[in-house]
């Protein structure tokens, strides 16, 4: 099928990777924690929901969850071309690693456009005692903690929420801290005495 007599054959080089198919994020985490396969490509059979997108300093960090668990997606190689928002349903595939106590999921290919949008993402209602006793169980999840006390607010930026700072909280004798994302709408507002908080649970170093 070649017109030129000088061309008698062509050589095609190709490569592909196989992915380990998993049902959900809980199975994904379990496989990784058991085997620590940092080069293994995993593909989720079912979709996950975007619970939050943090703009970050250069590349967005995407938090996703399903009915079983959650994970933090970090696109350090700029593979993702779509822009996601809370409530988007997406399919993911990629590799995993752990840094500073946090498990990260790195895309191996573009996730493409969401398969659906504006889905409801409900936070898991937990106590600070539960978070402190089982941090890995709630890592990267959208959580809700009711009636916490900002017990040191007078000594934290003059009682004002500031970007990039941590604020101490207490609930029935258990303590933790919240980090203020740069895009939240309560920056420069007064820190309340008590509040119900909703946010992403991050546990670097197991906390």
């Amino acid at each position: 099928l070649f017109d030129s007599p000088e061309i008698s054959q062509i050589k095609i080089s190709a490569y592909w990777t196989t992915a380990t198919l998993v049902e959900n994020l809980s199975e994904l985490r379990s496989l990784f924690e058991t085997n620590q396969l940092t080069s293994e490509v995993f593909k989720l059979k079912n979709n996950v929901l975007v619970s939050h997108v943090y703009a970050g300093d250069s590349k967005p960090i995407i938090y996703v969850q399903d009915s079983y668990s959650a994970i933090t997606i970090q696109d350090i190689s700029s593979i993702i071309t779509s822009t996601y928002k809370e409530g988007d349903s997406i399919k993911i595939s990629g590799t995993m690693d752990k840094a500073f106590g946090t498990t990260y999921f790195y895309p191996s290919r573009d996730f493409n456009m969401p398969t659906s949008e504006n889905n409801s993402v409900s936070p898991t209602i937990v106590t600070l005692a539960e978070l402190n006793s089982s941090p890995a169980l709630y890592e990267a999840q959208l959580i809700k903690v009711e009636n916490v006390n900002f017990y040191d607010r007078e000594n934290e930026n003059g009682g004002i929420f500031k970007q990039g700072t941590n604020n101490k909280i207490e609930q029935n004798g258990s303590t933790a801290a919240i980090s203020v994302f740069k895009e939240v709408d309560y920056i420069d507002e007064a820190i309340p005495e008590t509040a119900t908080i909703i946010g992403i649970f991050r546990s670097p170093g197991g906390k």
Side-chain angles (χ1 to χ4, degrees), residues 59-154:
K59 297 180 177 65
I61 298 174
I62 305 169
Y63 297 92
V64 299
Q65 61 187 56
D66 57 17
S67 300
Y68 304 92
S69 190
I71 205 160
T72 304
I73 298 174
Q74 194 168 36
D75 186 21
I76 59 177
S77 299
S78 300
I79 293 174
I80 299 174
T81 60
S82 299
T83 300
Y84 300 118
K85 63 184 184 302
E86 180 181 329
D88 285 345
S89 178
I90 60 176
K91 278 194 174 295
I92 64 173
S93 60
T95 60
M96 299 179 68
D97 205 350
K98 180 170 284 190
F100 304 105
T102 297
T103 302
Y104 289 100
F105 190 87
Y106 302 107
S108 59
R109 54 174 294 180
D110 191 7
F111 297 159
N112 299 318
M113 297 295 291
T115 56
S116 64
E117 301 177 281
N118 302 315
N119 296 282
S120 176
V121 186
S122 300
T124 299
I125 300 175
V126 295
T127 64
L128 291 186
E130 290 171 324
L131 294 176
N132 286 332
S133 64
S134 304
L137 181 63
Y138 299 100
E139 183 186 322
Q141 283 193 41
L142 182 67
I143 61 166
K144 180 179 181 179
V145 187
E146 299 176 322
N147 301 317
V148 301
N149 301 311
F150 287 86
Y151 65 90
D152 198 31
R153 64 189 186 283
E154 295 88 353

